[in-house]
Amino acid sequence: MNPSFPSKSFMYVVLIFCFLGATRLYASDPYLTLDYYASSCPTVFDIVRKEMECAVLSDPRNAAMIVRLHFHDCFVQGCDGSVLLDDTITLKGEKNAATNIHSLKGLGIVDKIKNIVESECPGIVSCADILTIAARDAVILVGGPYWDVPVGRKDSVTANFDLANTNLATPDESLLSIIAKFLYQGLSVTDMVALAGAHTIGMAQCKNFRSRIYGDFESTSMKNPISESHLSNLKSVCPPMGGGDNNITAMDYMTPNLFDNSFYQLLLNGEGLLNSDQEMYSSVFGIETRQLVKKYAADPLAFFRQFSESMVKMGNITNSESFFTGEVRKNCRFVNT
């Protein structure tokens, strides 16, 4: 095979999706500022931080749950709190979409923070902003980097079940398809690889990694003794058939509750738990992604810097309509009546 073929194919796909996604680039939206609540609710950041400290102290896995909620919110009609909405007679939410059902956790934490913020500053701080701030604090509390959070988002009065099924990446999706989904949101390949590093914390369900551990895990990990032992443990958690779909294991078995760069080191060793993660290093099309994985595996500070930048960029994917039709919900689960 011509060694230049993957590069040409990769660039061709990227250029197409850059063009198609141009209308969706909402980064650096002028409505968001760092001091939006400076006079109207100056204690909001302190409240969120205190409640996240309690949540992560009680269970470190809560950090990953909040970060995941934020990701799944922003990739569906922007960071507008739509993922938090419950189904009602007149509204079909996103929680039961295939990418979310039985896997969205941490909603009670957001509810608790919202109740406290409402008692301090009624009708001022959106659920979308609370979730965005909480995600930043969650990362810090398990050892990750700090970044400033621009605020001023409004909560949507709609949700989009169909977009939740199509916009969010799935564990067995191809590398090029996932790249396309990030480009559609105005996020680069570099953003994608850095944001995937959030998998250094959190858990995955058996149904999302079964095909990986009974597929090419042995070949990518070169059958070294440590990998073989780990694979044996994974198979004990996740049988090939007959149930266990919701059994869970850490995506980063080296340091599951610490936000660090060991996730990328696992990819170098061919031990990525999800097919979609390992593809960033092992795919024939992963020319750019492979180099970024190597970079972040070797340089934790470079990973932290890029992750911070990419989280701000993702948080700035806004639902432009919500600034005109949106609101500040009283209850994050329901549109105001």
Side-chain angles (χ1 to χ4, degrees), residues 169-194:
T170 59
D172 290 319
E173 199 160 348
S174 72
L175 178 64
L176 293 182
S177 178
I178 294 174
I179 288 173
K181 288 185 175 183
F182 274 75
L183 292 174
Y184 184 63
Q185 302 291 349
L187 299 170
S188 67
V189 173
T190 299
D191 294 321
M192 184 200 75
V193 177

Side-chain angles (χ1 to χ4, degrees), residues 194-210:
L195 291 171
H199 286 172
T200 188
I201 55 174
M203 315 291 281
Q205 294 176 315
C206 167
K207 63 183 179 182
N208 291 326
F209 63 85
R210 179 181 280 122

Side-chain angles (χ1 to χ4, degrees), residues 11-198:
M11 292 307 298
Y12 179 71
V13 173
V14 167
L15 286 171
I16 287 177
F17 280 100
C18 278
F19 175 76
L20 291 176
T23 59
R24 288 298 305 271
L25 308 191
Y26 296 146
S28 68
D29 197 295
Y31 296 104
L32 304 180
T33 64
L34 296 177
D35 60 353
Y36 188 85
Y37 298 117
S39 58
S40 59
C41 192
T43 60
V44 61
F45 286 94
D46 292 334
I47 293 170
V48 175
R49 185 181 67 250
K50 179 181 177 181
E51 293 306 312
M52 284 306 302
E53 285 174 353
C54 293
V56 174
L57 185 62
S58 67
D59 187 347
R61 292 179 298 178
N62 284 330
M65 293 174 185
I66 292 296
V67 172
R68 189 168 188 269
L69 267 180
H70 180 49
F71 271 66
H72 283 226
D73 184 32
C74 294
F75 267 67
V76 180
Q77 65 182 33
C79 311
D80 61 358
S82 61
V83 74
L84 304 173
L85 289 169
D86 284 350
D87 288 351
T88 67
I89 295 174
T90 58
L91 185 145
K92 187 174 186 178
E94 299 162 12
K95 294 176 181 176
N96 289 316
T99 47
N100 290 333
I101 191 168
H102 304 314
S103 67
L104 287 184
K105 310 291 183 182
L107 295 162
I109 297 170
V110 178
D111 291 338
K112 184 178 180 182
I113 296 172
K114 177 61 173 175
N115 289 338
I116 297 171
V117 171
E118 279 296 299
S119 68
E120 288 280 324
C121 319
I124 300 296
V125 183
S126 67
C127 299
D129 275 345
I130 287 174
L131 181 55
T132 306
I133 299 166
R136 187 273 309 270
D137 291 345
V139 169
I140 294 171
L141 289 165
V142 288
Y146 170 91
W147 63 90
D148 289 321
V149 178
V151 287
R153 298 164 189 81
K154 296 298 182 185
D155 295 321
S156 68
V157 294
T158 63
N160 199 314
F161 178 88
D162 292 333
L163 282 184
N165 277 322
T166 58
N167 283 15
L168 293 164
T170 59
D172 290 319
E173 199 160 348
S174 72
L175 178 64
L176 293 182
S177 178
I178 294 174
I179 288 173
K181 288 185 175 183
F182 274 75
L183 292 174
Y184 184 63
Q185 302 291 349
L187 299 170
S188 67
V189 173
T190 299
D191 294 321
M192 184 200 75
V193 177
L195 291 171

